[in-house]
Amino acid sequence: MDEENQNQNKNPAFESLDILISRWRDGTFGEIIEDWKWIFSYSARYKGAIVFYVILGVFSTSMGLVSSVASKYLIDIITGFETSKLWVMIAIMVGSTVFSLAFSSIISRITAKLSIDINNDIQADIFDKIVDADWLSLNKYSNGDILNRFNGDIGTVSSNAISWLPTIIIAVYNFIATFFVILHYDWIMAVIALASAPFMLLMSRFMIKKQRDYSKKVREMSSELMTFEVEAIYNFDTIKSFGVAPHYSKKMRWWQSKFRDISLKYNLFSIKTNILMSIMGTLVQFAAFGYCLFRLWTGDITYGTMTLFLQQRSNLSSAFSNVVSIIPSFLNSSVSAHRIRELVELPREVHIPESGEMDKYAEEGFQVRMEDVNFSYVQGTRVITDSAFEANPGEIVALVGPSGEGKTTMIRLILGLVRPENGEVKLRAANGREIPMNAETRHLFAYVPQGNTILSGTIAENMRMVKEEATDEEIIEALKVACAWDFVEKLPDTINSSVGERGRGLSEGQAQRVAIARADEATSALDVTTERTVLRNIVQQHPNKTCIVTTHRPSVLNLCQRVYRVMETKVTELSEEESSRMAMDF
């Protein structure tokens, strides 16, 4: 516990250095190197820009120093009434200042552009890998964690991938150049300037623990407040329906009050800290200023030299801080890269290239078959045990059973999202060709999950998600099959009418019918009459389609050629009598 408290008291730069040293000793420093190799794999694409960035940074720093030296001589000229070089010094000072400002602006522009480009590159690559990650492995991470890594960690990496090496070179160059400029005029001045920066850093470490504690509390409270806000906004319909809006308004103000209290405590601490640090900084500055006055009084330096020293002392302190701060930046980027790599290195979905050959048999329909399938999400806890299933072209097959018994798992097995531990899940073409379910067979299925799956955009855009080249006529025909055209044609822009997130602007049944049209499959979210009409339309329009539904409705069970019950980890085909009896029980 004492060791933990000591670590918390450390300045982030020193703490990061300790971490690097400990990593070196315990042999895990190689992980940091591997993380940075991964980061540099993206940086390498922009090596020309990085070199240009370094050159501009060094040149800009040099121009800043030239401007400072020129201002020193300008002051000496004015105070000594030596006007012969006045305009030359003014020209040098103004020119170097303009150059420094111009190059700083260019660097800022280049940095922003490169940061955006590399952020987009990494996000695009990571997005592709996440989409293609094994479903079971990916689901071990919460959506919030994935989004945090996808945005926050990638942002950290992208902001440092380009700038980290140039920042080191420029900061070290600035520190050394500034030190030697001061040393050229007075070695004692250089020692004072060099000693002030680490002194300030060492003093600040004693206040870090309290600051980190407050910062942690503010972040935690901010997260809790945001969680409440997101949950409330997402469930506005439920809140309104239950008539509990006043309760949530009261609760919102309660959370705001807690966040306000901790934020103000942090603010007061920051004010006290800033006052203390300012006093300490002022004392150091007075010491330097006093030395300058003494040297000026004895006639050892000029007013210009005094001005140059005081200005460059501050610059040297900043340069030292920049060099030291690179260590936590280096470590933070490594941590973020490691978190991203965890997603990148997740197992990929299974892709069987030969699956593409099945496309030419799509019109004749496919048989879906499972044989002796065992499956578990967690080892030792079976969800499906020694089960078989069969659905043939032209059939409507129902999966029934209590909630949570494995119906959704059966669908995931059929879609190739998960793979059986034992047994086989196959797709069989009319010519007898078989292929195991995998990521490449998924496009041969149309899927309507429970709930609203309409995305923001136009109805036509939603429809073209599954067939990008679909014509307006094909979209309208699909809407007619799903009994959706009767309300879509009445919308202001018909299929080009916009709907909001989760189908906002449509009723639940209307959104579900559009989803059916998109997938061309039945679902249980419709009224009985519409459901039967949709199923009949699908059978008539696509006689070779294989329909698999999860339902209890008699209207569906009476139309099914096969009914399978999923219960107690077993999938069992029901006889006609059992199916009829189950339908009559509703």
Side-chain angles (χ1 to χ4, degrees), residues 338-403:
H338 196 80
R339 282 165 52 83
I340 299 169
R341 287 177 59 206
E342 284 184 357
L343 297 181
V344 172
E345 293 169 2
L346 288 175
R348 307 262 68 82
E349 286 199 289
V350 175
H351 294 264
I352 301 177
E354 294 80 7
S355 302
E357 299 176 9
M358 302 293 278
D359 290 6
K360 55 189 174 184
Y361 306 115
E363 288 298 322
E364 301 172 31
F366 297 104
Q367 179 193 65
V368 176
R369 190 169 75 239
M370 296 184 182
E371 295 177 356
D372 302 321
V373 168
N374 291 293
F375 178 78
S376 304
Y377 289 107
V378 179
Q379 188 174 6
T381 306
R382 283 279 172 82
V383 179
I384 303 294
T385 304
D386 298 329
S387 296
F389 174 85
E390 182 180 312
N392 297 305
E395 290 184 340
I396 300 176
V397 179
L399 288 170
V400 300
S403 177

Side-chain angles (χ1 to χ4, degrees), residues 50-107:
I50 292 176
V51 172
F52 185 58
Y53 181 14
V54 171
I55 293 173
L56 285 180
V58 170
F59 192 74
S60 177
T61 300
S62 300
M63 288 298 98
L65 289 172
V66 169
S67 177
S68 298
V69 174
S71 66
K72 167 220 173 324
Y73 284 106
L74 183 61
I75 293 172
D76 288 343
I77 288 171
I78 294 175
T79 56
F81 301 100
E82 297 178 7
T83 59
S84 59
K85 298 181 180 179
L86 175 62
W87 294 107
V88 175
M89 290 297 105
I90 290 176
I92 292 175
M93 188 178 71
V94 172
S96 59
T97 300
V98 170
F99 271 117
S100 179
L101 179 62
F103 283 124
S104 296
S105 301
I106 293 172
I107 288 174

Side-chain angles (χ1 to χ4, degrees), residues 56-286:
L56 285 180
V58 170
F59 192 74
S60 177
T61 300
S62 300
M63 288 298 98
L65 289 172
V66 169
S67 177
S68 298
V69 174
S71 66
K72 167 220 173 324
Y73 284 106
L74 183 61
I75 293 172
D76 288 343
I77 288 171
I78 294 175
T79 56
F81 301 100
E82 297 178 7
T83 59
S84 59
K85 298 181 180 179
L86 175 62
W87 294 107
V88 175
M89 290 297 105
I90 290 176
I92 292 175
M93 188 178 71
V94 172
S96 59
T97 300
V98 170
F99 271 117
S100 179
L101 179 62
F103 283 124
S104 296
S105 301
I106 293 172
I107 288 174
S108 177
R109 178 68 175 176
I110 291 174
T111 302
K113 182 179 182 299
L114 292 178
S115 181
I116 292 172
D117 287 345
I118 196 168
N119 186 79
N120 290 345
D121 280 353
I122 297 176
Q123 278 196 333
D125 288 350
I126 302 307
F127 183 82
D128 291 342
K129 289 179 172 62
I130 290 175
V131 169
D132 193 45
D134 174 69
W135 184 90
L136 207 54
S137 300
L138 186 63
N139 269 266
K140 294 177 182 177
Y141 298 85
S142 68
N143 291 337
D145 186 28
I146 293 174
L147 283 174
N148 190 293
R149 296 174 191 233
F150 187 74
N151 291 307
D153 288 313
I154 288 179
T156 299
V157 168
S158 64
S159 64
N160 290 300
I162 294 297
S163 63
W164 192 79
L165 185 59
T167 298
I168 290 179
I169 296 173
I170 295 170
V172 171
Y173 171 78
N174 185 24
F175 178 79
I176 294 174
T178 302
F179 177 76
F180 276 102
V181 166
I182 300 174
L183 184 65
H184 173 73
Y185 293 100
D186 192 309
W187 70 270
I188 296 179
M189 291 181 184
V191 171
I192 293 175
L194 185 64
S196 63
F199 175 74
M200 293 292 292
L201 288 173
L202 287 170
M203 291 301 296
S204 68
R205 65 187 298 177
F206 296 106
M207 289 170 282
I208 290 297
K209 181 181 183 300
K210 194 79 171 177
Q211 185 176 8
R212 292 178 69 187
D213 288 344
Y214 273 119
S215 179
K216 180 181 178 182
K217 290 177 181 177
V218 169
R219 286 198 300 268
E220 289 175 349
M221 188 59 63
S222 177
S223 296
E224 291 179 5
L225 176 60
M226 183 174 293
T227 298
F228 169 79
E229 292 169 345
V230 170
E231 185 181 50
I233 291 171
Y234 188 81
N235 293 289
F236 265 164
D237 289 351
T238 303
I239 292 171
K240 286 177 173 291
S241 300
F242 288 174
V244 293
H247 168 74
Y248 270 80
S249 294
K250 186 177 180 180
K251 197 171 182 179
M252 175 69 180
R253 285 164 176 76
W254 181 79
W255 279 113
Q256 287 179 323
S257 177
K258 292 193 68 175
F259 181 72
R260 177 182 180 275
D261 290 343
I262 190 65
S263 296
L264 288 178
K265 288 180 181 178
Y266 186 28
N267 173 257
L268 182 60
F269 170 77
S270 298
I271 291 173
K272 292 178 179 178
T273 301
N274 290 335
I275 291 174
L276 181 58
M277 294 298 291
S278 296
I279 292 173
M280 291 164 53
T282 301
L283 291 176
V284 175
Q285 184 178 358
F286 280 173

